[in-house]
């Protein structure tokens, strides 16, 4: 008789052989798949639906659908659907779980009234024959909306001179949230915030932020806003700071024009304080108030005309529940009134306007002159550009031009007086077609010109003309220049230098 080990080995061989034969007989065997939502989330107290469907293959029989929850490495049955036995919900889920439309391919369930302990991994399993069990799992996350609030300190915010300790102004709290909230402050105050995150025993989080500030007069009536961001929601709550501070005092009423016999003058003590000042005291520096002075609340009135006795340093002390501060003003009495606004102010304004208009006129004039000079230069350049290239005067380079100027002396300069210069200028103007730097050629033939034109040795680049040298005189003798005798024919020309 075969032993137990031989029987177990025989059973294993039979199972392996059966699975292989089933695989060959049913090609779509391993194509069966359980479809679920991989992640599902919901808030505490709400309902969620856990979908589970099986893609069924022909020749496969489904015997049961089971939901389980993974807990500490083990599986706990939650709900079962059997085509024969029906639906079975196991404790403690009798009041929480229902099948939506149970069938051999649909195991979708609804989980009601979510609580934090419902969070975890859920497994949907289909028992099939002959292929065995098919399953898939999803992760259920339970969210908790936080409770947000802003707490304002009950300690009075008092600004005192020399104070260095920062006082707690407000606390922003987001409690019992899951996941934890983000807390911040929106304000123009120059304080500092500290943050604390606490994990509660039930898995939720509480986030606390405390805002501290050094009280000051500038912080009074400033806004402080608590901001909480959770998921896509935003919570805000704000407060207006109430900072208590001593009076800040200044005296109004002295216009630097108290003169003899002036009437109806007064000084008023103005204070900025929180709470407002309730007591005012007037006094003089190292003296007593004049007999004509009368105190009414924060105002010091002076009866009768102004006299020299009113010249003094006046001090006003203002007091509230926080402390006492003072301000002072020095009053000087003059013989005569100072020039007042009215006509003087108008004249001053007119003077300023005249100065401004003068400056604008100068600027406009300079601009117009500049534009005209620029236009003249542009016109001159355009005239030169319009000339034929053969008639344009060539300019020496700057270096050579300076060398020529530096080499010129009195001996190189000859002044020639022409009595008929005016007539020649008129002839030049008549012949506008010729370049302005060419001399006018002679129009009549003379015996002297016959001497010059007898041969064909003329340079084509030289223009010739007849001059009556009897009219030429030198203004200063020079050993480098000789003047021909009267009536001689003189050859002269203007030659344009070629500068490389």
């Amino acid at each position: 008789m075969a032993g137990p080990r031989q029987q177990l080995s025989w059973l294993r061989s039979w199972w392996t052989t059966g699975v292989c034969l089933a695989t060959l007989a049913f090609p779509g065997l391993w194509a069966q798949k359980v479809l679920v939502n991989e992640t599902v989330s919901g808030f505490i107290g709400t309902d969620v639906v856990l979908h589970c469907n099986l893609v069924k293959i022909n020749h496969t029989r489904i015997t049961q659908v089971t939901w389980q929850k993974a807990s500490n490495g083990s599986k706990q049955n939650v709900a079962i659907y059997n085509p024969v036995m029906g639906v079975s919900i196991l404790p403690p889920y009798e009041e929480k779980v229902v099948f939506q439309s149970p069938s051999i391919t649909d195991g979708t369930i609804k989980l009601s009234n979510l609580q934090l302990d419902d969070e975890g991994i859920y497994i949907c399993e289909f028992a099939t024959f002959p292929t065995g069990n098919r399953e898939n799992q999803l992760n259920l996350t339970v969210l908790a909306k936080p409770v947000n609030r802003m707490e304002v300190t009950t300690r009075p915010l008092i600004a005192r001179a020399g104070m260095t300790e920062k006082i707690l102004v407000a606390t922003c709290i987001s409690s019992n949230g899951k996941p934890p909230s983000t807390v911040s402050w929106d304000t123009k105050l120059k304080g500092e915030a500290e943050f604390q995150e606490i994990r509660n025993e039930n898995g939720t989080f509480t986030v606390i932020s405390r805002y501290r500030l050094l009280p000051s007069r500038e912080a009074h009536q400033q806004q402080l806003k608590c901001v909480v961001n959770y998921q896509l929601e935003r919570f805000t709550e704000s407060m207006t700071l109430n900072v208590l501070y001593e009076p800040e005092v200044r005296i109004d009423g002295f216009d630097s024009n108290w003169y003899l016999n002036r009437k109806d003058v007064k000084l008023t003590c103005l204070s900025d304080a929180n709470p407002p000042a309730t007591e005012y005291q007037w006094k003089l520096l190292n003296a007593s108030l004049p007999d004509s002075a009368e105190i009414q609340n924060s105002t010091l009135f002076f009866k009768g005309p102004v006299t020299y006795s009113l010249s003094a340093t006046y001090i006003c002390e203002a007091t509230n529940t926080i402390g006492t501060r003072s301000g002072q003003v020095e009053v000087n009495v003059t013989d005569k009134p100072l020039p007042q606004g009215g006509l003087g102010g108008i004249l001053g304004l007119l003077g300023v306007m005249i100065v401004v208009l003068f400056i604008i006129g100068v600027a406009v004039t300079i601009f117009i002159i500049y534009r005209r000079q620029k236009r003249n230069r542009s016109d001159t350049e355009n005239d030169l550009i319009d000339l034929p290239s053969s008639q344009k005067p060539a300019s020496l380079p700057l270096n050579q031009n300076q060398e020529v100027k530096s080499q010129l002396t009195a001996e190189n300069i000859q002044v020639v007086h022409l009595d008929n210069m005016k007539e020649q200028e008129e002839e030049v103007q008549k012949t506008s077609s010729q370049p302005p730097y060419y001399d006018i050629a002679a129009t009549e033939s003379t015996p002297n010109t016959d001497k010059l034109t007898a041969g064909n040795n003329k340079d084509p680049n030289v223009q010739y003309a007849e001059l009556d040298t009897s009219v030429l005189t030198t203004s200063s003798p020079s050993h480098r220049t000789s003047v021909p005798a009267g009536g001689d024919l003189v050859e002269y020309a203007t030659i344009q230098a070629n500068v490389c």
Side-chain angles (χ1 to χ4, degrees):
M1 187 174 181
R5 293 183 177 179
Q6 292 179 347
Q7 291 180 356
L8 181 60
S9 177
W10 180 80
L11 288 174
R12 289 178 177 175
S13 300
W14 179 86
W15 172 255
T16 302
T17 303
V19 170
C20 293
L21 292 176
T23 303
L24 294 176
F26 306 101
L29 178 64
W30 304 110
Q32 296 180 6
K33 186 176 182 179
V34 178
L35 304 178
V36 299
N37 299 111
E38 294 182 358
T39 59
V40 179
S41 62
F43 287 97
I44 292 178
T46 62
D47 302 340
V48 294
V49 175
L50 309 183
H51 293 275
C52 180
N53 299 90
L54 176 69
V55 179
K56 186 177 180 300
I57 304 300
N58 295 333
H59 310 293
T60 300
R61 184 164 62 92
I62 300 172
T63 58
Q64 186 170 286
V65 181
T66 304
W67 276 97
Q68 298 175 316
K69 181 181 179 183
S71 177
N72 297 324
S74 61
K75 296 180 180 181
Q76 176 186 6
N77 288 336
V78 175
I80 299 173
Y81 167 72
N82 188 291
V84 179
M85 304 297 295
V87 174
S88 177
I89 308 298
L90 287 77
Y93 298 97
E94 296 96 329
E95 304 296 330
K96 293 178 69 69
V97 176
V98 294
F99 278 94
Q100 293 284 85
S101 300
S103 68
I104 59 175
T105 59
D106 188 354
T108 301
I109 62 174
K110 181 175 74 173
L111 192 61
S112 305
N113 190 22
L114 280 179
Q115 300 299 318
L116 289 173
D117 55 3
D118 292 331
E119 185 174 275
I121 297 176
Y122 289 80
I123 302 168
C124 179
E125 180 183 79
F126 285 85
T128 63
F129 182 84
T131 59
N133 295 342
R134 292 286 177 269
E135 67 179 34
N136 204 347
Q137 66 182 27
L138 59 85
N139 185 28
L140 173 62
T141 301
V142 179
L143 307 176
K145 288 185 177 181
V147 178
N148 306 313
R149 68 185 187 277
M150 181 180 182
E151 296 180 355
V152 180
T153 181
T154 57
R155 177 182 176 182
L157 301 178
I158 302 176
R160 298 185 184 277
M163 186 176 182
T164 58
E165 179 186 0
K166 293 183 178 180
I167 299 176
L168 178 64
V169 177
T171 303
C172 190
I173 304 172
S174 179
S175 58
N176 302 321
K178 184 175 179 297
S181 305
T182 301
V183 178
S184 60
W185 297 93
D186 183 10
T187 183
K188 295 180 180 179
L189 295 168
K190 297 179 180 180
E192 61 181 21
E194 58 183 36
F195 299 90
Q196 182 182 8
E197 184 178 298
I198 302 173
R199 183 181 181 88
N200 304 316
E201 294 181 357
N202 60 359
T204 60
F205 296 86
T206 297
V207 181
I208 302 174
S209 178
R210 300 178 178 88
Y211 194 88
R212 300 182 183 274
L213 178 71
L214 182 64
S216 64
R217 184 189 311 272
E218 294 73 22
H220 182 55
Q221 294 298 314
Q222 291 292 325
Q223 293 288 322
L224 178 62
K225 182 184 292 185
C226 163
V227 181
V228 178
N229 290 296
Y230 176 80
Q231 300 293 323
L232 299 178
E233 298 181 358
R234 180 182 176 89
F235 165 86
T236 61
E237 186 174 349
S238 61
M239 63 167 289
T240 302
L241 269 66
N242 182 30
V243 180
L244 307 179
Y245 52 89
E246 299 173 332
E248 182 175 329
V249 182
R250 67 181 180 88
I251 299 175
D252 189 21
F254 179 64
D255 57 359
S256 300
N257 191 25
W258 284 22
Y259 52 90
L260 290 176
N261 299 321
R262 179 179 175 179
K263 298 180 180 180
D264 300 328
V265 293
K266 63 182 179 179
L267 297 176
T268 303
C269 189
L270 304 177
S271 65
D272 175 19
N274 186 35
T278 56
E279 182 180 352
Y280 295 92
Q281 289 186 355
W282 287 94
K283 63 182 180 179
L284 294 183
L285 183 64
N286 302 324
S288 58
L289 291 174
D291 296 335
S292 61
E294 180 182 345
I295 300 175
Q296 295 182 10
N297 296 326
S298 61
T299 304
L300 182 63
F301 292 92
F302 296 92
K303 299 178 181 179
V306 173
T307 62
Y308 285 118
S309 63
L310 301 187
S311 296
T313 300
Y314 291 82
I315 299 175
C316 173
E317 291 182 348
T319 303
N320 66 354
T321 57
I322 307 303
T324 300
R325 298 284 295 276
S326 64
Q328 66 180 31
V329 62
E330 184 176 354
V331 174
N332 296 314
V333 177
T334 60
D335 296 334
K336 297 179 180 180
L338 298 175
Q340 296 298 313
L343 181 59
I346 295 175
L347 292 177
L349 181 59
L350 290 176
V352 173
M353 294 178 62
I354 291 173
V355 171
V356 172
L357 292 176
F358 175 77
I359 294 175
I360 294 175
V362 172
V364 172
T365 302
I366 294 175
F367 177 76
I368 292 175
I369 293 174
Y370 170 76
R371 289 294 301 271
R372 288 181 177 177
Q373 291 179 349
K374 185 176 180 181
R375 187 179 304 168
N376 293 338
R377 289 196 299 268
S378 178
D379 293 341
T380 302
E381 292 174 358
N382 292 335
D383 291 341
L384 293 178
I385 292 174
D386 293 335
L387 291 175
S389 59
S390 62
Q391 299 181 3
K392 292 182 179 179
S395 58
L396 290 175
L398 181 60
N399 295 337
Q400 296 186 17
N401 193 14
Q402 292 177 351
E403 290 180 359
V404 172
K405 290 182 179 180
S406 63
Q407 294 176 2
L408 287 177
T409 63
E411 298 177 352
N412 302 118
I413 301 174
Q414 177 182 358
V415 180
V416 179
H417 299 276
L418 300 178
D419 294 337
N420 56 348
M421 183 60 68
K422 184 176 181 181
E423 297 178 357
Q424 294 180 2
E425 290 180 353
E426 292 176 353
E427 294 178 358
V428 170
Q429 293 177 358
K430 293 178 181 179
T431 56
S432 58
S433 60
Q434 295 184 357
Y437 51 88
Y438 278 99
D439 295 315
I440 307 302
T443 57
E444 295 182 0
S445 177
T446 64
N448 293 329
T449 56
D450 294 337
K451 298 177 183 179
L452 184 60
T453 57
N456 295 326
N457 297 326
K458 293 184 180 179
D459 190 338
N461 294 324
V462 178
Q463 293 190 6
Y464 299 89
E466 179 183 358
L467 286 181
D468 187 0
T469 57
S470 61
V471 298
L472 296 179
T473 60
T474 57
S475 59
S476 61
S478 172
H479 65 278
R480 301 173 61 99
T481 306
S482 61
V483 180
D488 290 344
L489 186 64
V490 178
E491 175 183 336
Y492 73 100
T494 56
I495 302 175
Q496 180 176 345
N498 294 324
V499 180
C500 297

